[in-house]
Amino acid sequence: MKKFVVGNFKMNTTPTQFGSYLDEFLPRIRESKTNIIFCLPATHFHIANQRLSTTNIKFGAQNISSEESGAYTGEISSVMVKDCGAFCTLVGHSETRRHFKETAESINQKIIRALAVNLKVILCVGETKYERSTKKTKLSLKRQLDIALKGLYENELKNIIIAYEPIWAIGTGKTPNVKEVESAITDIKSIISDSFSIRDYDKITILYGGSINENNFTQFVKIKGVSGLLVGGACLNPKSFANICK
Ligand code: PEP
């Protein structure tokens, strides 16, 4: 199966700068055999729509509202994002959990809203440094996954990609070692397959994210059970990101 490489722009670049970014990026990845997805600020969607529609690169949002529509000033709904041509949305990124006080229940609601309009979901889960040091990684992942996926049907899981992102590794330059990622991937698969009685583990798509860069990415994509990468800071450099994608 083709690996995924997801670039999360966070709140970086203007739409004009994103256009220049694509001028550099697109010619470099003509031969790419990966599924590339940009998770963008909504201000960039029109550029993504114009420039990516003739490629097999997809784009998505970084967040959506847990509400359907109405008096929620500043929010963007799943149906708005879908109507702009987006393929997916991130949900539960550690930065939206922290800065926007996203709760586990609102994450569940966002997932339900996204799936209802055929937006794929990239659900981010991960443990804190404290949880890892007190051997509570699996417990933390279970708590996050159980609530986020509550009420979903097994056949909806194919529209959900899980991104394993240890919180302490995001934007810090620190990464877990291969064994730690392997063990978290096994935990995620067993938590989900227990809840949904799935026998075929391989149906669950899991990415690794957290301080990936051009120099360290190969060890993570090679890990059994890792279907690709979620890249933050390093995706902002078109040359580096193209090298990772290739
Ligand atoms: C992210 O934003 O999901 C992320 C993994 O960021 P970084 O690669 O900068 O750690």
Side-chain angles (χ1 to χ4, degrees), residues 6-10 90 93-95 124 163-167 169-175 208-213 229-235:
V6 182
N8 176 17
F9 265 50
K10 312 194 187 209
L90 291 177
H93 191 281
S94 71
E95 289 156 14
C124 305
Y164 169 58
E165 298 210 299
I167 295 169
I170 299 178
T172 58
K174 296 183 184 132
T175 57
Y208 168 75
S211 292
I212 286 291
N213 59 45
L229 304 169
L230 175 48
V231 185
C235 81

Side-chain angles (χ1 to χ4, degrees), residues 138 142 145-146 149 154 157 186-201 204:
K138 185 168 183 185
K142 180 165 168 52
L145 287 164
D146 280 352
L149 302 178
E154 186 193 327
L157 290 182
T186 307
D187 288 344
I188 291 170
K189 291 196 172 190
S190 84
I191 293 163
I192 298 180
S193 57
D194 283 353
S195 319
F196 288 87
S197 329
I198 301 175
R199 260 170 274 131
D200 185 3
Y201 265 4
I204 305 166

Side-chain angles (χ1 to χ4, degrees), residues 123-245:
L123 168 64
C124 305
V125 292
E127 81 286 0
T128 61
K129 189 81 198 153
Y130 177 74
E131 286 166 338
R132 174 155 289 282
S133 67
T134 52
K135 306 207 181 325
K136 299 223 167 62
T137 298
K138 185 168 183 185
L139 197 68
S140 169
L141 294 172
K142 180 165 168 52
R143 208 180 44 234
Q144 293 169 57
L145 287 164
D146 280 352
I147 307 180
L149 302 178
K150 198 171 163 195
L152 299 189
Y153 295 106
E154 186 193 327
N155 69 355
E156 292 179 298
L157 290 182
K158 63 178 181 305
N159 295 319
I160 299 183
I161 294 170
I162 308 290
Y164 169 58
E165 298 210 299
I167 295 169
W168 51 273
I170 299 178
T172 58
K174 296 183 184 132
T175 57
N177 62 39
V178 168
K179 278 217 161 85
E180 288 170 328
V181 177
E182 268 169 3
S183 137
I185 299 288
T186 307
D187 288 344
I188 291 170
K189 291 196 172 190
S190 84
I191 293 163
I192 298 180
S193 57
D194 283 353
S195 319
F196 288 87
S197 329
I198 301 175
R199 260 170 274 131
D200 185 3
Y201 265 4
D202 293 331
K203 278 191 186 159
I204 305 166
T205 306
I206 306 179
L207 314 182
Y208 168 75
S211 292
I212 286 291
N213 59 45
E214 231 185 315
N215 303 318
N216 68 9
F217 76 93
T218 46
Q219 58 181 304
F220 294 101
V221 268
K222 281 189 200 148
I223 297 173
K224 189 170 176 293
V226 169
S227 301
L229 304 169
L230 175 48
V231 185
C235 81
L236 295 171
N237 179 321
K239 285 185 205 149
S240 302
F241 193 51
N243 285 339
I244 296 173
C245 292

